[in-house]
Each structure stands twice: as C-alpha cells, then as structure tokens.
Amino acid sequence: MEKMVRRLRMRWSVLVIVGGILGMGWAEAQNLDREKIVRRHTLENLPMEVEIPLGNGEFCFNVDGTGVQTLRGNTMAHWGWHSFPLPEGFSEKDIPATGTFQQGRNTLAGDHSFPPEKQALRQWLFDNPHRADLVRIQWTRGDGTAIPPEAIRQVSRKMDLWTGLHRCEWILDGETVVVETVVGMESDALAVQVHSPLLAVGKLIATLDFPYPTIISEAYCGNFQVPEKHRTTLLSKNDGDGVKLRRNVDDLEYRVQVGCCEAGKVAVQPEIHRVTITSHGETLAFFCHCEHPTSLHFQPNAEERENFDFARWKEKTAEKWVEYWKSGAAVDFSESTDSRWRELERRVVLSQYLMRSNSAGSWPPAETGLLGTDFWRGQFHGEMIYWHLAHYALWNRWELAQPALKCYARFLPTARQLASQLGYRGAQWPKSVGPEGRSAPWVGNQVLLWKQPHPILFAELEYRHAPTRETLEKWEEIVEQTAEFMADYPEKGEDGLFHLRPVMPPSEQGITVDSVFDLAYWRWGLEQANRWRERLGKERNGQWDEIRKDLAPLPTLPGTPEKVTVYIHSAEWTDTYEKYAWEHPNPVGVYGMIPPTEGVCPEIARRTVRKIQETWNWERVWGWDFPWTAMAAARTGQPEIAVEILLHPSPRNAYDLRGVNANNPCPYLPGNGGVLYAVGMMVGGWEGCPQVDRSRGEAPGFPRNGKWVIRWEGFCPAP
C-alpha cells in the first residue's frame, strides 16, 4: 500500500510540474518580435578601451575597439587552467587533496590548520590553479612594434548581439581600417577580417603573442617578458598559409592553429612566442583556434580550417546566435509607461548575451566569468554556482547549465574525502575551487554552509524539466550524500533542538550559530532529499526527518510581539538592523530564493523584506543582493518593492555600457545571473503565485498599476 501511495505521489508531482510549466510558459506563447527586442540594445560606439566579450560559453575572446586586443583584452577558456611551480621545499605529496589540514569537526574558530612553516604552501594553494590568458592578438606596425593608443581615432563601433558580430572602423595614419570579428559557437576559435590600404603596403599586420600567465588583472592577464618560462613548439611546416603550435606552460598544455586567406602569409617566431600575419592585398582574413586535449567543447572540422572562408564563419556564427535568441524565454517591456522599462530590458537582454558568452561551458564560471582574472584567481565558488546557472531553468535553456553542473559528479569523491577528514558523513562541497575539486585556503571554507544544499536545488530544477527515472538516478548519489552531511552537521543542544554550529552566514560577517538563511535552506534541503527518495521508490530517511523537524527555529527579534517581528541574521546577532545591516541581507532569502518551507512564516518574511528595504545600507552590498531581495519581495506579495530594489540606484547595482554588473570587486557576473533569475521569476511566476491577466500585460512579480505592461513567452515557473 505504501509503495502504491509513493507511486501515485510521484505521478502527481510530475503532472503538477509539467502542468505548471505548460500553463505558465509554452502554452501561452505570444510570438514576440525577439529580433526587435534584442536589437533595441545593440552596443554601438562604446569607447575604444571597453572590452566586449565574444564567446560561446566555453571560450571567450575579449575585444577592444580595434576588433582585436590592441589596447587590452584577454582570451580565456573554461579549460584553460594553469598552476605555478610549487614553492621551494614543497612537493606534490605536501598538497592536501581537500585544501585543508584540518582534522575533526568544525569549531567556532574556523580553519587555521596551516602552521607557520607551511604559509608559503598556503599562499600557493590560494593562487593555484588559476585561469590563464591563452593568446593576445593585436594590430601592430609592419615591423611588429606597438601602435600607441593616441595614434588610433575611432570612427564607429557596433556589437550586433543578434548575430554575434563585432564590427569597428577606425583611422590610423590617415587611412581607414575596418575590422569584423566573430567567435565560433561550436569551436574554441575566433575569426577576423580586416580591410585597409595599410595592409597592402606592409604598414599594418596582425600579431599573436603567447604570454606566461599572471594572477594580476590589468590590461592583459599575461607576462610577455619571460619567454624562458614557457615553450611554443611548431608542429607543422610553416608553409605561409597556416601553422599548428603546441603550447607548454608548466602544467598547462594546449594547441593552437592559425590560418589565413590566400592574400595572407603566416610566420612564426617560436623563441619569442609570436605569430605574425601579413597581407599582400587590402583585405586579410584569419582564424585562431585554441584546443585543449581534454576540452569538452566542439572543434571546427578539417574542411573549415583548411578552406578558410570568413564569410562562412560569420554566417554560421549568426545562425547559432539567432537560434539562441529564438530559443527559451523572452520578455518585452516596451509597452510600459514606467520610464525605467528600457534600462531593465537592457539589463535583461545584455545579461542573456553575457551569460551565454561566459557562463555556458564545461565548468562553473568565476565571478568575472571569462573576462579576466579576479581576487579569487578565476576560481569558482561553490555557493555562487546558483547565481551563474540557476536562471537557465526559468528561461527554459537548461541544456546550457548541464555541462558545468557535472562538477558535482566529478567532485563527489573529494567532497566525501573532505567530509570524512572533518568527521562528518556524506559529502561536503568545496568553496573556491578549480578542476581539482580542492578548496583554496580561507577561514570560512568549512563553515560557509549555504553552498551545501545547492546540488539538491539543481537536481530539483532539472527534474522539473525532465521528470524521468533517468534524472532521478543521475542525481541520486549526489542528493543522498549531500543530505547525509546535512543531517550529520547539526549538534543537539540541551534544549533538545539541533543547532547549526558553527556557521558563517552568506553575509560572511563572522562565524555564529543558527543563521536564519541556513536554517531555512537546511529544512528545505532535507525535506527535498526525502522526496527524492520517494520518487525513486525508497523509504524516507527517518533521521533526516528528525533533524529537519527538530532544527532550531528561525531567529527573530527577541522580545518583539509575533505580529510585528522580523527575521534576523542569527540567534546571536540580535542587533542585526543596527550593527549588521550591510553585506548580503541573509533574512530575505528564506522566502524568496527558497520555496515555502515548514518553519518559515510567510507573514514574518513579508515584514522582513520591508524592514530590509528601509534599513539596509545598499551602498555596502553586492550585485546579486538586489535580485535576491526582489525575489523575496515578489514571493511575499510586494511587487512594488521588487521593482524598486531591482532598479535601486546604488553604485553596486550599476550595469556598465556592456551590461556587466559594475562597481563590485570585479566585473561581477553573479549580478547578471541574479537579474535573469529574478526577472524570470517575476515574469514567469512561481508555484502558488497570484493569477494574472496576461492579455493586460500583467506578470506575477510586477505591480499591476498600469505602468508596467509586460509581454512574455516561454518561461518556466520557479519552484
């Protein structure tokens, strides 16, 4: 009988999911003019020094106003990881596989497991691995010398988002130079075509330089002054129209192929890591293809490389970008009378472009994507994977998140090793990490807990798209081991309740006990893990239920009547709104990002959103805090606050000319991913959201005051 009930429950959940998706997304398509929406936000006449990423999600070539990287810009790939040699006196056997020497369960002191004699190793672990700049492509004088910025005068510059084509025109020495640049959507390669009288007389050439990696984010993330530290090997005969090279940079090896049109000639100087391309006519076209032995991305076929045709590359790139824009969801704000509609739509369109260019590859992206390096050396953070990838579910482009989400299966052995080393069951997921799955040393690594339930949330998002046995089995072990750690982490106190001790809240303002967001996420995650077991036809795990039911209550202002109280950071930080009202507003996440959960009061959550809106120091937050709060405002029935916060004038909520979330510690793509998730939820809705009249341009998370008129199609509702 119990098995029959479980089967019926599973079938019902599938019907609810599919019905919700159909009812709120595909079934009510409005046939929007997607090209018109995208082209409204074409990037034109940006300053020469502003880099625009041309990428396919795995590989990214950042171009300046010359169409290549004459002034600045990096070429990066999700497979392009490099590590410096170990410091003197250390060998591979000294490296802790988990990134820590800590033994035993966490304490309130955090991880201080590196003794003084191993501080050099600690710094090396923080710096490595890091993402490497693969190649710099510049226009130079005929003798290979640099062109000074003041010698270049911009005429025009246009980034056609709809087709992925960057076109620019500029003046050098009184002559016009016109450059078109694209990055292949199915290959880690770029193609360039340039037209100028300077080419034919040998006064303008293309120069490709291969650097030694650096961890400093400047105009270029590479050192071009140490040729002895790396090797460039010629693998094919230098016959003039193309070459194949092997690059060896410490532990990083990759191959490069350069080819050009009939008018061009390719020459190589391996000893200085340089390739030059010249032309005997006024037009030159060439490509540069980078390849890693373990790259998961498609590579160009032999015919495309041997019979290079720039027009065909441009055409195929356009086909793929148009295919992308026509897939998934779309939204049109242009009928709104609120004057901010254009800025919101600009952020939405450009964020879609940026995430497709930077955040759809074989590994989760860094905070700054593939634009360069950042303070965290281009590693990705376990807790931030949500902001980079979750939006693909709501925008019905889930396939773009799946390659990177394989990181959980790859990291599972190391995550289990880390949990065991610290005396816990299951798997503890890493924080600042590269392909090794080893966390970079930081005091909060083991106690920053909100990264832990993420795999369960991602599993649920995938199940909503593909409610099949295959999906259940794909995530089964990951969900199980995640929940095992979650059940073993809380400590039972004298009050008979289980406490999250110690814990660093998402705000990272210190280490405390029973942080409000983590308690809510823990409750949701353990319940969801048991639902996963039921879907698989298994019995619920009684211990998970016991821990969930007996977790400490979410902390509220002490001594405040129930009818007016609000949530606070943690049970210890009762002065949340006086002392800690900055950094990430943890209390808003309990009923916004997280669906309705037992133990979370919707009314208290509603009041908390308003309290945070009124009291928080919005000058001292991060880019994703604004969409995080907007999500909570929408779910608690306060759409006016959702819009106000989403478009808050704080410098931390600024989006630059390219659409990148600016004025954070680096160009900050979690803000862009957050905008997409919040808008996806506010437009496409969530389970249990208010019914709206779409014929009137209404959406669940926007005010129904006549100022916001929203046309949309293709969204999937949030959990």
Side-chain angles (χ1 to χ4, degrees):
M1 181 65 178
E2 290 182 2
K3 290 183 178 179
M4 183 181 295
V5 170
R6 283 197 298 270
R7 283 197 296 269
L8 288 172
R9 189 179 297 168
M10 177 177 168
R11 290 173 184 167
W12 174 249
S13 66
V14 171
L15 288 172
V16 168
I17 291 170
V18 175
I21 291 174
L22 291 175
M24 302 191 68
W26 308 323
E28 297 187 50
Q30 296 188 346
N31 299 316
L32 301 181
D33 187 342
R34 297 187 178 211
E35 182 174 359
K36 183 177 180 181
I37 296 168
V38 173
R39 289 194 184 279
R40 266 202 292 266
H41 306 286
T42 295
L43 301 176
E44 296 191 79
N45 296 322
L46 272 63
M48 295 283 288
E49 66 274 10
V50 173
E51 303 162 41
I52 297 177
L54 307 183
N56 54 37
E58 176 77 357
F59 171 87
C60 192
F61 181 65
N62 295 280
V63 300
D64 62 25
T66 67
V68 285
Q69 299 161 336
T70 308
L71 307 177
R72 59 187 303 116
N74 301 292
T75 307
M76 293 190 157
H78 281 296
W79 48 258
W81 295 91
H82 168 263
S83 292
F84 296 125
L86 280 159
E88 186 176 352
F90 293 96
S91 66
E92 292 287 334
K93 63 180 176 57
D94 296 311
I95 301 174
T98 59
T100 179
F101 292 108
Q102 179 182 332
Q103 297 287 335
R105 296 174 74 97
N106 291 328
T107 68
L108 285 172
D111 180 9
H112 298 282
S113 61
F114 283 81
E117 66 273 13
K118 293 186 177 180
Q119 287 306 304
L121 178 62
R122 186 187 191 283
Q123 186 62 50
W124 184 89
L125 286 168
F126 185 85
D127 292 340
N128 298 279
H130 48 260
R131 298 185 194 267
D133 187 5
L134 303 174
V135 61
R136 179 184 70 185
I137 303 180
Q138 297 179 300
W139 302 119
T140 63
R141 302 288 190 185
D143 59 1
T145 56
I147 299 173
E150 59 271 16
I152 300 171
R153 180 169 65 84
Q154 178 174 310
V155 176
S156 65
R157 186 182 186 190
K158 180 178 180 180
M159 178 67 222
D160 187 346
L161 304 169
W162 185 252
T163 64
L165 174 67
H166 182 277
R167 186 184 188 280
C168 58
E169 183 176 336
W170 39 282
I171 303 294
L172 176 67
D173 298 340
E175 298 288 354
T176 299
V177 183
V178 179
V179 185
E180 292 185 326
T181 315
V182 295
V183 161
M185 296 300 285
E186 293 184 332
S187 61
D188 295 347
L190 61 108
V192 179
Q193 179 169 275
V194 55
H195 179 82
S196 176
L198 296 172
L199 291 167
V201 295
K203 292 185 177 181
L204 183 69
I205 66 174
T207 302
L208 287 69
D209 291 306
F210 300 97
Y212 187 75
T214 67
I215 54 176
I216 301 173
S217 185
E218 295 178 334
Y220 308 104
C221 297
N223 185 344
F224 299 89
Q225 310 304 318
V226 286
E228 71 281 0
K229 286 191 173 184
H230 51 122
R231 295 198 314 277
T232 300
T233 306
L234 184 64
L235 298 178
S236 65
K237 182 181 178 181
N238 186 12
D239 56 9
D241 62 353
V243 295
K244 296 180 181 178
L245 310 168
R246 181 176 65 237
R247 293 276 299 136
N248 293 96
V249 192
D250 299 322
D251 61 339
L252 171 62
E253 179 180 322
Y254 62 102
R255 299 193 178 196
V256 179
Q257 182 171 355
V258 181
C260 66
C261 63
E262 290 184 0
K265 182 179 179 180
V266 178
V268 184
Q269 297 172 277
E271 68 282 359
I272 62 170
H273 314 289
R274 170 167 283 194
V275 174
T276 57
I277 310 175
T278 57
S279 176
H280 59 72
E282 294 191 357
T283 299
L284 170 66
F286 67 89
F287 74 87
C288 176
H289 168 224
C290 300
E291 179 181 5
H292 189 264
T294 62
S295 175
L296 302 180
H297 213 61
F298 297 107
Q299 305 301 342
N301 59 46
E303 183 180 354
E304 282 186 320
R305 292 180 299 217
E306 293 170 6
N307 302 295
F308 174 59
D309 179 359
F310 179 81
R312 180 58 182 150
W313 279 58
K314 184 167 71 170
E315 180 184 3
K316 289 191 68 175
T317 300
E319 288 173 358
K320 290 299 179 180
W321 270 108
V322 171
E323 181 180 306
Y324 168 72
W325 289 116
K326 288 185 175 180
S327 73
V331 59
D332 183 343
F333 293 105
S334 64
E335 294 182 32
S336 302
T337 57
D338 189 304
S339 60
R340 298 169 296 177
W341 75 264
R342 182 176 289 273
E343 174 59 18
L344 181 57
E345 188 180 272
R346 183 185 79 92
R347 296 183 185 189
V348 168
V349 169
L350 293 178
S351 292
Q352 290 178 79
Y353 174 79
L354 291 164
M355 301 310 275
R356 181 65 182 89
S357 300
N358 288 265
S359 303
S362 55
W363 291 103
E367 314 293 72
T368 195
L370 296 173
L371 300 174
T373 58
D374 53 29
F375 174 79
W376 304 279
R377 313 314 193 220
Q379 298 174 1
F380 54 92
H381 294 181
E383 75 279 15
M384 302 308 292
I385 297 176
Y386 171 86
W387 293 111
H388 289 291
L389 301 176
H391 62 88
Y392 285 124
L394 275 58
W395 286 77
N396 194 21
R397 292 175 177 141
W398 185 246
E399 70 281 359
L400 296 179
Q402 288 184 314
L405 288 177
K406 292 178 181 177
C407 69
Y408 288 114
R410 297 171 188 159
F411 290 164
L412 185 58
T414 305
R416 296 190 69 172
Q417 181 180 351
L418 175 60
S420 176
Q421 180 179 326
L422 302 183
Y424 300 104
R425 298 194 306 271
Q428 179 177 1
W429 300 107
K431 187 192 174 334
S432 186
V433 65
E436 292 83 354
R438 176 189 71 224
S439 288
W442 180 58
V443 68
N445 277 352
Q446 323 313 342
V447 292
L448 189 72
L449 299 183
W450 70 290
K451 62 186 182 296
Q452 183 66 22
H454 281 356
I456 300 177
L457 179 56
F458 281 121
E460 181 63 18
L461 290 174
E462 182 158 332
Y463 187 71
R464 293 166 65 82
H465 279 260
T468 65
R469 182 80 187 184
E470 182 182 1
T471 301
L472 292 171
E473 292 176 351
K474 172 183 175 180
W475 288 92
E476 179 179 7
E477 186 177 12
I478 294 170
V479 170
E480 188 85 7
Q481 294 302 311
T482 298
E484 279 291 283
F485 176 86
M486 292 174 65
D488 198 32
Y489 192 88
E491 296 180 353
K492 194 167 188 176
E494 295 181 358
D495 55 4
L497 299 175
F498 289 94
H499 299 272
L500 291 179
R501 182 197 312 269
V503 55
M504 176 180 283
S507 62
E508 299 180 11
Q509 292 163 305
I511 299 174
T512 184
V513 176
D514 291 338
S515 64
V516 64
F517 178 76
D518 297 279
L519 283 171
Y521 209 6
W522 234 248
R523 281 180 165 84
W524 181 87
L526 288 172
E527 170 59 23
Q528 199 62 38
N530 257 332
R531 289 183 183 176
W532 205 263
R533 289 180 61 87
E534 289 180 318
R535 290 168 178 168
L536 284 160
K538 295 182 177 181
E539 300 289 338
R540 292 178 70 90
N541 185 310
Q543 186 193 29
W544 299 355
D545 278 334
E546 177 189 359
I547 299 294
R548 177 181 57 82
K549 292 176 181 177
D550 291 338
L551 274 174
L554 273 61
T556 57
L557 281 176
T560 305
E562 178 72 17
K563 62 183 180 179
V564 296
T565 195
V566 293
Y567 289 123
I568 57 177
H569 275 317
S570 80
E572 292 184 326
W573 297 351
T574 57
D575 51 356
T576 289
Y577 296 97
E578 291 79 33
K579 183 178 178 182
Y580 294 97
W582 54 283
E583 282 286 346
H584 307 308
N586 308 317
V588 300
V590 305
Y591 201 78
M593 171 183 165
I594 303 175
T597 302
E598 183 181 354
V600 180
C601 174
E603 178 56 28
I604 297 177
R606 186 189 67 79
R607 289 195 296 267
T608 301
V609 169
R610 185 168 294 278
K611 178 76 170 178
I612 284 176
Q613 181 204 21
E614 295 171 350
T615 62
W616 222 253
N617 183 352
W618 295 106
E619 306 288 309
R620 295 186 62 188
V621 294
W622 296 61
W624 56 266
D625 291 323
F626 300 92
W628 205 31
T629 306
M631 290 152 58
R635 197 185 289 272
T636 56
Q638 303 175 92
E640 293 82 5
I641 294 179
V643 171
E644 293 303 317
I645 289 294
L646 201 58
L647 292 167
H648 195 285
S650 166
R652 288 298 184 95
N653 196 38
Y655 288 75
D656 67 19
L657 295 172
R658 304 168 294 175
V660 176
N661 185 200
N663 301 323
N664 286 268
C666 62
Y668 197 63
L669 294 187
N672 295 93
V675 164
L676 291 181
Y677 195 97
V679 170
M681 182 177 172
M682 293 165 64
V683 173
W686 57 94
E687 287 185 13
C689 69
Q691 294 297 310
V692 296
D693 185 349
R694 289 192 58 189
S695 68
R696 295 167 59 90
E698 295 177 352
F702 280 82
R704 279 171 267 175
N705 55 12
K707 294 183 178 180
W708 287 96
V709 179
I710 301 158
R711 306 298 179 192
W712 54 274
E713 61 190 23
F715 285 98
C716 301

